[in-house]
Amino acid sequence: MADRYLHLTGTAPGRFLTRSLGLPQPSPLRRWSLGTPTLDGPLLHLTAGEAAVRGEVGEVLARLGLPVVERADRPAGIVVDATGITSAAGLAALHAALHPVVRSVARNGRIVVLGTAPSPEDHHQAAAQQALEGFVRSLGKEIGRGATVQLVRVVPGAAASAESTLRFLLSPRSAYVSGQVVEVSGAAPDPVADWFAPLTGRTALVTGSARGIGEAVASTLARDGARVVCLDVPRAEEDLVRTADRLGATALPLDITAPDAAERIAAAFPDGLDVLVHNAGITRDRRLANMAADRWASVIDVNLDSVLRTTDALLKAGTLNRGGRIVATASIAGIAGNTGQTNYAASKAGIIGLVRSLAPRAVADHGVTVNAVAPGFIETKMTAAVPLLIREAGRRMNSLSQGGLPVDVAETTAWFAQPASTAVNGQVVRVCGQSLLGA
Ligand SMILES: NC(=O)c1ccc[n+]([C@@H]2O[C@H](COP(=O)([O-])OP(=O)(O)OC[C@H]3O[C@@H](n4cnc5c(N)ncnc54)[C@H](O)[C@@H]3O)[C@@H](O)[C@H]2O)c1
């Protein structure tokens, strides 16, 4: 279903009318395309307080293909090194760095604040570094004009591990990601031969990819060079084959809850699997008082239990190659909760638990990272079926005042999937335009 309001506010009379009525002013987002692969303008590199990672981050920024400057009239992106802020008083430096330039950020611009992990031993440092989180979440809400604001926590001395993350967040690929906190470890990234086709030579499985978000994920991973297998239920085989054919992928008609699902997946990857994307999901909404046990069970089985079973079996069988990536699909419903969705929200919160617990062990034991995307309101057949008023609320109740597109979730998944994202592990990144729900 097209977003007619976004179209209306894109016209001069529509803008005048909606502005006069004090209604939201969504700015059309600039997404990745072959013609617009990068931001459109210079990157302003600032320091707030002691310049703890300035040099190493400067080297990364210099590789992004944009001019990196210390002054600009209209920067496309601003990166602020706030890693050296260790006290409440030191936060003044953050204000001093951004206050004079925040208005100058280009439409669809990007602000990335670099911090470090709050210390368990030093509560002054922890207070100052945690303060950055409230800062970016608030700035994300007020900045407007399609711009986004994130906090990336890096390890001083290993900031180069954040290259894939900075490339993603400082590009049109992250158009619908805002107000997020990403922790990047000091793990050394795998070398990248070609940033435009980082998955060349890698295999990927995307569950639930006959349509919707899964189809976009399969398409984006194929764009990035992966050999993709698309999986969906046998009754969706016609759509599945059409999608797979369009992408030069292989179709695997299979119900992910089938007892032999992991074995059949393993058989489809005789040389091992590099990227496993758990995207298949269902809703069976009812308030708990009206929810029959079968509605509860089917949602938990498809959205959570089958993810646990196949992940365990594929890791145990050694099907996932070292350097592999697991990306699971949560939802903001799993963070905020939703009326009529006790089953769905439980399953999606369960995904977050799975990711956080398994991530350190999967890397230690198998060399595999585990992360989750948590989509907000994404324009798909699933959300087109939502009643008009609820749909409009879902679309507008976020900092970007619009719904996301399946490709926004796909781009986030592709960032996790990259060989260079070794240091991104155990993260849950919301693709929700900074939804007010669960904020
Ligand atoms: N659309 C949104 O706004 C939104 C928001 C948050 C989370 N999500 C999550 O994103 C994922 C994709 O959502 P979507 O909007 O594209 O939904 P969709 O219904 O369009 O697509 C889901 C796909 O999963 C497949 N599937 C369902 N059960 C399966 C099974 N047992 N085995 C194999 N395949 C199965 C379906 O056939 C379908 O093709 C889901 O996990 C969903 O919960 C979506």
Side-chain angles (χ1 to χ4, degrees), residues 337-373:
N338 219 359
T339 303
Q341 291 200 318
T342 51
N343 50 358
Y344 183 76
S347 72
K348 295 301 189 178
I351 289 292
I352 296 174
L354 148 72
V355 163
R356 292 195 175 140
S357 169
L358 179 61
R361 282 178 287 121
V363 147
D365 299 346
H366 305 277
V368 171
T369 64
V370 190
N371 294 286
V373 285

PDB file of all heavy atoms in Angstrom, residues 337-373:
ATOM      1  N   GLY A 337       6.112  -4.800  23.165  1.00  0.00           N
ATOM      2  CA  GLY A 337       4.859  -5.507  23.368  1.00  0.00           C
ATOM      3  C   GLY A 337       3.773  -4.888  22.505  1.00  0.00           C
ATOM      4  O   GLY A 337       3.925  -3.764  22.000  1.00  0.00           O
ATOM      5  N   ASN A 338       2.700  -5.626  22.300  1.00  0.00           N
ATOM      6  CA  ASN A 338       1.636  -5.150  21.422  1.00  0.00           C
ATOM      7  C   ASN A 338       0.334  -5.839  21.801  1.00  0.00           C
ATOM      8  O   ASN A 338       0.329  -7.054  22.005  1.00  0.00           O
ATOM      9  CB  ASN A 338       1.996  -5.506  19.977  1.00  0.00           C
ATOM     10  CG  ASN A 338       1.625  -4.410  19.021  1.00  0.00           C
ATOM     11  OD1 ASN A 338       1.083  -3.378  19.420  1.00  0.00           O
ATOM     12  ND2 ASN A 338       1.917  -4.629  17.760  1.00  0.00           N
ATOM     13  N   THR A 339      -0.739  -5.097  21.862  1.00  0.00           N
ATOM     14  CA  THR A 339      -2.043  -5.698  22.162  1.00  0.00           C
ATOM     15  C   THR A 339      -2.354  -6.781  21.131  1.00  0.00           C
ATOM     16  O   THR A 339      -2.188  -6.553  19.932  1.00  0.00           O
ATOM     17  CB  THR A 339      -3.150  -4.618  22.088  1.00  0.00           C
ATOM     18  OG1 THR A 339      -2.818  -3.591  22.991  1.00  0.00           O
ATOM     19  CG2 THR A 339      -4.506  -5.195  22.433  1.00  0.00           C
ATOM     20  N   GLY A 340      -2.795  -7.927  21.607  1.00  0.00           N
ATOM     21  CA  GLY A 340      -3.171  -9.012  20.691  1.00  0.00           C
ATOM     22  C   GLY A 340      -1.991  -9.824  20.210  1.00  0.00           C
ATOM     23  O   GLY A 340      -2.137 -10.712  19.372  1.00  0.00           O
ATOM     24  N   GLN A 341      -0.800  -9.530  20.727  1.00  0.00           N
ATOM     25  CA  GLN A 341       0.387 -10.221  20.209  1.00  0.00           C
ATOM     26  C   GLN A 341       1.241 -10.835  21.319  1.00  0.00           C
ATOM     27  O   GLN A 341       2.471 -10.800  21.239  1.00  0.00           O
ATOM     28  CB  GLN A 341       1.239  -9.253  19.380  1.00  0.00           C
ATOM     29  CG  GLN A 341       0.565  -8.839  18.068  1.00  0.00           C
ATOM     30  CD  GLN A 341       1.557  -8.307  17.044  1.00  0.00           C
ATOM     31  OE1 GLN A 341       2.450  -7.549  17.393  1.00  0.00           O
ATOM     32  NE2 GLN A 341       1.405  -8.705  15.789  1.00  0.00           N
ATOM     33  N   THR A 342       0.588 -11.387  22.354  1.00  0.00           N
ATOM     34  CA  THR A 342       1.407 -11.997  23.418  1.00  0.00           C
ATOM     35  C   THR A 342       2.267 -13.122  22.843  1.00  0.00           C
ATOM     36  O   THR A 342       3.437 -13.277  23.233  1.00  0.00           O
ATOM     37  CB  THR A 342       0.531 -12.565  24.550  1.00  0.00           C
ATOM     38  OG1 THR A 342      -0.482 -13.398  23.976  1.00  0.00           O
ATOM     39  CG2 THR A 342      -0.120 -11.452  25.369  1.00  0.00           C
ATOM     40  N   ASN A 343       1.699 -13.889  21.898  1.00  0.00           N
ATOM     41  CA  ASN A 343       2.458 -15.004  21.309  1.00  0.00           C
ATOM     42  C   ASN A 343       3.614 -14.471  20.447  1.00  0.00           C
ATOM     43  O   ASN A 343       4.768 -14.872  20.589  1.00  0.00           O
ATOM     44  CB  ASN A 343       1.527 -15.924  20.508  1.00  0.00           C
ATOM     45  CG  ASN A 343       0.637 -15.177  19.505  1.00  0.00           C
ATOM     46  OD1 ASN A 343       0.660 -13.938  19.413  1.00  0.00           O
ATOM     47  ND2 ASN A 343      -0.157 -15.927  18.759  1.00  0.00           N
ATOM     48  N   TYR A 344       3.289 -13.529  19.573  1.00  0.00           N
ATOM     49  CA  TYR A 344       4.285 -12.982  18.635  1.00  0.00           C
ATOM     50  C   TYR A 344       5.394 -12.254  19.400  1.00  0.00           C
ATOM     51  O   TYR A 344       6.588 -12.461  19.150  1.00  0.00           O
ATOM     52  CB  TYR A 344       3.571 -12.040  17.667  1.00  0.00           C
ATOM     53  CG  TYR A 344       4.445 -11.440  16.594  1.00  0.00           C
ATOM     54  CD1 TYR A 344       4.855 -12.195  15.496  1.00  0.00           C
ATOM     55  CD2 TYR A 344       4.842 -10.106  16.672  1.00  0.00           C
ATOM     56  CE1 TYR A 344       5.643 -11.635  14.500  1.00  0.00           C
ATOM     57  CE2 TYR A 344       5.631  -9.540  15.678  1.00  0.00           C
ATOM     58  CZ  TYR A 344       6.024 -10.303  14.592  1.00  0.00           C
ATOM     59  OH  TYR A 344       6.810  -9.742  13.616  1.00  0.00           O
ATOM     60  N   ALA A 345       4.998 -11.392  20.336  1.00  0.00           N
ATOM     61  CA  ALA A 345       5.997 -10.613  21.083  1.00  0.00           C
ATOM     62  C   ALA A 345       6.870 -11.537  21.933  1.00  0.00           C
ATOM     63  O   ALA A 345       8.081 -11.308  22.048  1.00  0.00           O
ATOM     64  CB  ALA A 345       5.311  -9.566  21.949  1.00  0.00           C
ATOM     65  N   ALA A 346       6.268 -12.593  22.492  1.00  0.00           N
ATOM     66  CA  ALA A 346       7.082 -13.554  23.261  1.00  0.00           C
ATOM     67  C   ALA A 346       8.104 -14.205  22.336  1.00  0.00           C
ATOM     68  O   ALA A 346       9.282 -14.344  22.677  1.00  0.00           O
ATOM     69  CB  ALA A 346       6.176 -14.611  23.894  1.00  0.00           C
ATOM     70  N   SER A 347       7.654 -14.593  21.128  1.00  0.00           N
ATOM     71  CA  SER A 347       8.588 -15.259  20.202  1.00  0.00           C
ATOM     72  C   SER A 347       9.717 -14.318  19.789  1.00  0.00           C
ATOM     73  O   SER A 347      10.877 -14.724  19.694  1.00  0.00           O
ATOM     74  CB  SER A 347       7.842 -15.777  18.969  1.00  0.00           C
ATOM     75  OG  SER A 347       7.447 -14.705  18.112  1.00  0.00           O
ATOM     76  N   LYS A 348       9.405 -13.051  19.572  1.00  0.00           N
ATOM     77  CA  LYS A 348      10.424 -12.114  19.090  1.00  0.00           C
ATOM     78  C   LYS A 348      11.352 -11.672  20.227  1.00  0.00           C
ATOM     79  O   LYS A 348      12.542 -11.432  19.997  1.00  0.00           O
ATOM     80  CB  LYS A 348       9.752 -10.903  18.427  1.00  0.00           C
ATOM     81  CG  LYS A 348       8.966 -11.273  17.162  1.00  0.00           C
ATOM     82  CD  LYS A 348       9.864 -11.921  16.118  1.00  0.00           C
ATOM     83  CE  LYS A 348       9.179 -12.114  14.785  1.00  0.00           C
ATOM     84  NZ  LYS A 348      10.062 -12.708  13.765  1.00  0.00           N
ATOM     85  N   ALA A 349      10.817 -11.558  21.446  1.00  0.00           N
ATOM     86  CA  ALA A 349      11.692 -11.286  22.589  1.00  0.00           C
ATOM     87  C   ALA A 349      12.606 -12.489  22.815  1.00  0.00           C
ATOM     88  O   ALA A 349      13.787 -12.332  23.169  1.00  0.00           O
ATOM     89  CB  ALA A 349      10.860 -10.995  23.833  1.00  0.00           C
ATOM     90  N   GLY A 350      12.068 -13.677  22.575  1.00  0.00           N
ATOM     91  CA  GLY A 350      12.881 -14.895  22.695  1.00  0.00           C
ATOM     92  C   GLY A 350      14.073 -14.858  21.742  1.00  0.00           C
ATOM     93  O   GLY A 350      15.181 -15.293  22.084  1.00  0.00           O
ATOM     94  N   ILE A 351      13.863 -14.325  20.542  1.00  0.00           N
ATOM     95  CA  ILE A 351      14.965 -14.197  19.569  1.00  0.00           C
ATOM     96  C   ILE A 351      16.077 -13.315  20.137  1.00  0.00           C
ATOM     97  O   ILE A 351      17.273 -13.611  19.994  1.00  0.00           O
ATOM     98  CB  ILE A 351      14.438 -13.593  18.237  1.00  0.00           C
ATOM     99  CG1 ILE A 351      13.569 -14.604  17.498  1.00  0.00           C
ATOM    100  CG2 ILE A 351      15.583 -13.099  17.352  1.00  0.00           C
ATOM    101  CD1 ILE A 351      14.285 -15.814  16.954  1.00  0.00           C
ATOM    102  N   ILE A 352      15.676 -12.267  20.840  1.00  0.00           N
ATOM    103  CA  ILE A 352      16.684 -11.361  21.416  1.00  0.00           C
ATOM    104  C   ILE A 352      17.483 -12.099  22.496  1.00  0.00           C
ATOM    105  O   ILE A 352      18.713 -11.998  22.561  1.00  0.00           O
ATOM    106  CB  ILE A 352      15.994 -10.089  21.969  1.00  0.00           C
ATOM    107  CG1 ILE A 352      15.352  -9.311  20.809  1.00  0.00           C
ATOM    108  CG2 ILE A 352      16.993  -9.211  22.740  1.00  0.00           C
ATOM    109  CD1 ILE A 352      14.508  -8.113  21.218  1.00  0.00           C
ATOM    110  N   GLY A 353      16.776 -12.893  23.293  1.00  0.00           N
ATOM    111  CA  GLY A 353      17.468 -13.691  24.316  1.00  0.00           C
ATOM    112  C   GLY A 353      18.433 -14.672  23.693  1.00  0.00           C
ATOM    113  O   GLY A 353      19.583 -14.816  24.133  1.00  0.00           O
ATOM    114  N   LEU A 354      17.980 -15.332  22.632  1.00  0.00           N
ATOM    115  CA  LEU A 354      18.823 -16.306  21.931  1.00  0.00           C
ATOM    116  C   LEU A 354      20.102 -15.640  21.420  1.00  0.00           C
ATOM    117  O   LEU A 354      21.210 -16.148  21.610  1.00  0.00           O
ATOM    118  CB  LEU A 354      18.009 -16.902  20.772  1.00  0.00           C
ATOM    119  CG  LEU A 354      18.731 -17.322  19.483  1.00  0.00           C
ATOM    120  CD1 LEU A 354      19.538 -18.577  19.706  1.00  0.00           C
ATOM    121  CD2 LEU A 354      17.757 -17.561  18.350  1.00  0.00           C
ATOM    122  N   VAL A 355      19.943 -14.494  20.784  1.00  0.00           N
ATOM    123  CA  VAL A 355      21.085 -13.814  20.169  1.00  0.00           C
ATOM    124  C   VAL A 355      22.097 -13.399  21.235  1.00  0.00           C
ATOM    125  O   VAL A 355      23.301 -13.648  21.108  1.00  0.00           O
ATOM    126  CB  VAL A 355      20.600 -12.587  19.352  1.00  0.00           C
ATOM    127  CG1 VAL A 355      21.735 -11.635  19.043  1.00  0.00           C
ATOM    128  CG2 VAL A 355      19.922 -13.057  18.073  1.00  0.00           C
ATOM    129  N   ARG A 356      21.602 -12.792  22.299  1.00  0.00           N
ATOM    130  CA  ARG A 356      22.536 -12.288  23.319  1.00  0.00           C
ATOM    131  C   ARG A 356      23.282 -13.424  24.016  1.00  0.00           C
ATOM    132  O   ARG A 356      24.448 -13.282  24.357  1.00  0.00           O
ATOM    133  CB  ARG A 356      21.778 -11.435  24.335  1.00  0.00           C
ATOM    134  CG  ARG A 356      21.301 -10.154  23.665  1.00  0.00           C
ATOM    135  CD  ARG A 356      20.867  -9.101  24.663  1.00  0.00           C
ATOM    136  NE  ARG A 356      20.544  -7.869  23.960  1.00  0.00           N
ATOM    137  CZ  ARG A 356      19.530  -7.070  24.248  1.00  0.00           C
ATOM    138  NH1 ARG A 356      18.724  -7.368  25.241  1.00  0.00           N
ATOM    139  NH2 ARG A 356      19.326  -5.973  23.562  1.00  0.00           N
ATOM    140  N   SER A 357      22.584 -14.542  24.230  1.00  0.00           N
ATOM    141  CA  SER A 357      23.239 -15.643  24.937  1.00  0.00           C
ATOM    142  C   SER A 357      24.189 -16.422  24.035  1.00  0.00           C
ATOM    143  O   SER A 357      25.289 -16.793  24.445  1.00  0.00           O
ATOM    144  CB  SER A 357      22.169 -16.586  25.500  1.00  0.00           C
ATOM    145  OG  SER A 357      22.755 -17.778  25.955  1.00  0.00           O
ATOM    146  N   LEU A 358      23.753 -16.682  22.799  1.00  0.00           N
ATOM    147  CA  LEU A 358      24.557 -17.555  21.927  1.00  0.00           C
ATOM    148  C   LEU A 358      25.776 -16.836  21.331  1.00  0.00           C
ATOM    149  O   LEU A 358      26.802 -17.478  21.081  1.00  0.00           O
ATOM    150  CB  LEU A 358      23.657 -18.096  20.789  1.00  0.00           C
ATOM    151  CG  LEU A 358      24.320 -19.017  19.765  1.00  0.00           C
ATOM    152  CD1 LEU A 358      24.873 -20.283  20.442  1.00  0.00           C
ATOM    153  CD2 LEU A 358      23.334 -19.410  18.656  1.00  0.00           C
ATOM    154  N   ALA A 359      25.655 -15.519  21.128  1.00  0.00           N
ATOM    155  CA  ALA A 359      26.691 -14.803  20.366  1.00  0.00           C
ATOM    156  C   ALA A 359      28.118 -15.057  20.880  1.00  0.00           C
ATOM    157  O   ALA A 359      28.991 -15.435  20.079  1.00  0.00           O
ATOM    158  CB  ALA A 359      26.374 -13.309  20.348  1.00  0.00           C
ATOM    159  N   PRO A 360      28.396 -14.888  22.174  1.00  0.00           N
ATOM    160  CA  PRO A 360      29.788 -15.086  22.605  1.00  0.00           C
ATOM    161  C   PRO A 360      30.264 -16.519  22.416  1.00  0.00           C
ATOM    162  O   PRO A 360      31.407 -16.758  22.028  1.00  0.00           O
ATOM    163  CB  PRO A 360      29.764 -14.721  24.101  1.00  0.00           C
ATOM    164  CG  PRO A 360      28.406 -14.193  24.404  1.00  0.00           C
ATOM    165  CD  PRO A 360      27.507 -14.496  23.258  1.00  0.00           C
ATOM    166  N   ARG A 361      29.372 -17.487  22.649  1.00  0.00           N
ATOM    167  CA  ARG A 361      29.777 -18.899  22.523  1.00  0.00           C
ATOM    168  C   ARG A 361      29.925 -19.307  21.070  1.00  0.00           C
ATOM    169  O   ARG A 361      30.821 -20.069  20.709  1.00  0.00           O
ATOM    170  CB  ARG A 361      28.766 -19.800  23.222  1.00  0.00           C
ATOM    171  CG  ARG A 361      28.960 -19.792  24.735  1.00  0.00           C
ATOM    172  CD  ARG A 361      27.953 -20.641  25.455  1.00  0.00           C
ATOM    173  NE  ARG A 361      26.634 -20.024  25.474  1.00  0.00           N
ATOM    174  CZ  ARG A 361      25.536 -20.566  24.965  1.00  0.00           C
ATOM    175  NH1 ARG A 361      25.604 -21.754  24.395  1.00  0.00           N
ATOM    176  NH2 ARG A 361      24.388 -19.944  25.031  1.00  0.00           N
ATOM    177  N   ALA A 362      29.037 -18.799  20.212  1.00  0.00           N
ATOM    178  CA  ALA A 362      29.113 -19.178  18.782  1.00  0.00           C
ATOM    179  C   ALA A 362      30.414 -18.678  18.175  1.00  0.00           C
ATOM    180  O   ALA A 362      31.027 -19.353  17.352  1.00  0.00           O
ATOM    181  CB  ALA A 362      27.911 -18.617  18.024  1.00  0.00           C
ATOM    182  N   VAL A 363      30.844 -17.496  18.599  1.00  0.00           N
ATOM    183  CA  VAL A 363      32.120 -16.994  18.082  1.00  0.00           C
ATOM    184  C   VAL A 363      33.276 -17.813  18.642  1.00  0.00           C
ATOM    185  O   VAL A 363      34.181 -18.221  17.903  1.00  0.00           O
ATOM    186  CB  VAL A 363      32.288 -15.492  18.413  1.00  0.00           C
ATOM    187  CG1 VAL A 363      33.728 -15.128  18.642  1.00  0.00           C
ATOM    188  CG2 VAL A 363      31.771 -14.659  17.256  1.00  0.00           C
ATOM    189  N   ALA A 364      33.235 -18.077  19.951  1.00  0.00           N
ATOM    190  CA  ALA A 364      34.345 -18.812  20.567  1.00  0.00           C
ATOM    191  C   ALA A 364      34.446 -20.234  20.011  1.00  0.00           C
ATOM    192  O   ALA A 364      35.533 -20.713  19.694  1.00  0.00           O
ATOM    193  CB  ALA A 364      34.152 -18.845  22.086  1.00  0.00           C
ATOM    194  N   ASP A 365      33.322 -20.903  19.866  1.00  0.00           N
ATOM    195  CA  ASP A 365      33.353 -22.322  19.496  1.00  0.00           C
ATOM    196  C   ASP A 365      33.354 -22.559  17.987  1.00  0.00           C
ATOM    197  O   ASP A 365      33.859 -23.572  17.517  1.00  0.00           O
ATOM    198  CB  ASP A 365      32.138 -23.065  20.090  1.00  0.00           C
ATOM    199  CG  ASP A 365      32.127 -22.994  21.620  1.00  0.00           C
ATOM    200  OD1 ASP A 365      33.166 -22.620  22.195  1.00  0.00           O
ATOM    201  OD2 ASP A 365      31.073 -23.309  22.224  1.00  0.00           O
ATOM    202  N   HIS A 366      32.719 -21.642  17.223  1.00  0.00           N
ATOM    203  CA  HIS A 366      32.537 -21.914  15.787  1.00  0.00           C
ATOM    204  C   HIS A 366      33.033 -20.785  14.888  1.00  0.00           C
ATOM    205  O   HIS A 366      32.952 -20.895  13.664  1.00  0.00           O
ATOM    206  CB  HIS A 366      31.047 -22.154  15.476  1.00  0.00           C
ATOM    207  CG  HIS A 366      30.423 -23.241  16.294  1.00  0.00           C
ATOM    208  ND1 HIS A 366      30.525 -24.574  15.967  1.00  0.00           N
ATOM    209  CD2 HIS A 366      29.698 -23.198  17.442  1.00  0.00           C
ATOM    210  CE1 HIS A 366      29.893 -25.307  16.874  1.00  0.00           C
ATOM    211  NE2 HIS A 366      29.378 -24.485  17.785  1.00  0.00           N
ATOM    212  N   GLY A 367      33.432 -19.663  15.469  1.00  0.00           N
ATOM    213  CA  GLY A 367      33.848 -18.520  14.646  1.00  0.00           C
ATOM    214  C   GLY A 367      32.676 -17.898  13.895  1.00  0.00           C
ATOM    215  O   GLY A 367      32.831 -17.330  12.824  1.00  0.00           O
ATOM    216  N   VAL A 368      31.482 -18.009  14.490  1.00  0.00           N
ATOM    217  CA  VAL A 368      30.259 -17.525  13.834  1.00  0.00           C
ATOM    218  C   VAL A 368      29.647 -16.397  14.671  1.00  0.00           C
ATOM    219  O   VAL A 368      29.535 -16.541  15.888  1.00  0.00           O
ATOM    220  CB  VAL A 368      29.243 -18.690  13.705  1.00  0.00           C
ATOM    221  CG1 VAL A 368      27.879 -18.197  13.247  1.00  0.00           C
ATOM    222  CG2 VAL A 368      29.769 -19.756  12.745  1.00  0.00           C
ATOM    223  N   THR A 369      29.262 -15.292  14.040  1.00  0.00           N
ATOM    224  CA  THR A 369      28.593 -14.228  14.788  1.00  0.00           C
ATOM    225  C   THR A 369      27.073 -14.419  14.745  1.00  0.00           C
ATOM    226  O   THR A 369      26.549 -15.059  13.818  1.00  0.00           O
ATOM    227  CB  THR A 369      28.912 -12.829  14.221  1.00  0.00           C
ATOM    228  OG1 THR A 369      28.383 -12.743  12.894  1.00  0.00           O
ATOM    229  CG2 THR A 369      30.403 -12.541  14.216  1.00  0.00           C
ATOM    230  N   VAL A 370      26.406 -13.873  15.744  1.00  0.00           N
ATOM    231  CA  VAL A 370      24.938 -13.993  15.830  1.00  0.00           C
ATOM    232  C   VAL A 370      24.361 -12.623  16.187  1.00  0.00           C
ATOM    233  O   VAL A 370      24.690 -12.062  17.233  1.00  0.00           O
ATOM    234  CB  VAL A 370      24.533 -15.005  16.937  1.00  0.00           C
ATOM    235  CG1 VAL A 370      23.043 -15.302  16.865  1.00  0.00           C
ATOM    236  CG2 VAL A 370      25.328 -16.292  16.836  1.00  0.00           C
ATOM    237  N   ASN A 371      23.534 -12.099  15.326  1.00  0.00           N
ATOM    238  CA  ASN A 371      22.928 -10.782  15.549  1.00  0.00           C
ATOM    239  C   ASN A 371      21.452 -10.817  15.174  1.00  0.00           C
ATOM    240  O   ASN A 371      20.996 -11.768  14.531  1.00  0.00           O
ATOM    241  CB  ASN A 371      23.633  -9.720  14.686  1.00  0.00           C
ATOM    242  CG  ASN A 371      25.070  -9.501  15.107  1.00  0.00           C
ATOM    243  OD1 ASN A 371      25.333  -8.889  16.140  1.00  0.00           O
ATOM    244  ND2 ASN A 371      26.016 -10.008  14.322  1.00  0.00           N
ATOM    245  N   ALA A 372      20.738  -9.773  15.544  1.00  0.00           N
ATOM    246  CA  ALA A 372      19.321  -9.705  15.171  1.00  0.00           C
ATOM    247  C   ALA A 372      18.961  -8.340  14.608  1.00  0.00           C
ATOM    248  O   ALA A 372      19.478  -7.314  15.057  1.00  0.00           O
ATOM    249  CB  ALA A 372      18.436 -10.000  16.386  1.00  0.00           C
ATOM    250  N   VAL A 373      18.064  -8.360  13.641  1.00  0.00           N
ATOM    251  CA  VAL A 373      17.398  -7.130  13.211  1.00  0.00           C
ATOM    252  C   VAL A 373      16.047  -7.101  13.920  1.00  0.00           C
ATOM    253  O   VAL A 373      15.417  -8.147  14.109  1.00  0.00           O
ATOM    254  CB  VAL A 373      17.148  -7.078  11.682  1.00  0.00           C
ATOM    255  CG1 VAL A 373      18.420  -6.784  10.932  1.00  0.00           C
ATOM    256  CG2 VAL A 373      16.516  -8.355  11.168  1.00  0.00           C
TER     257      VAL A 373
END
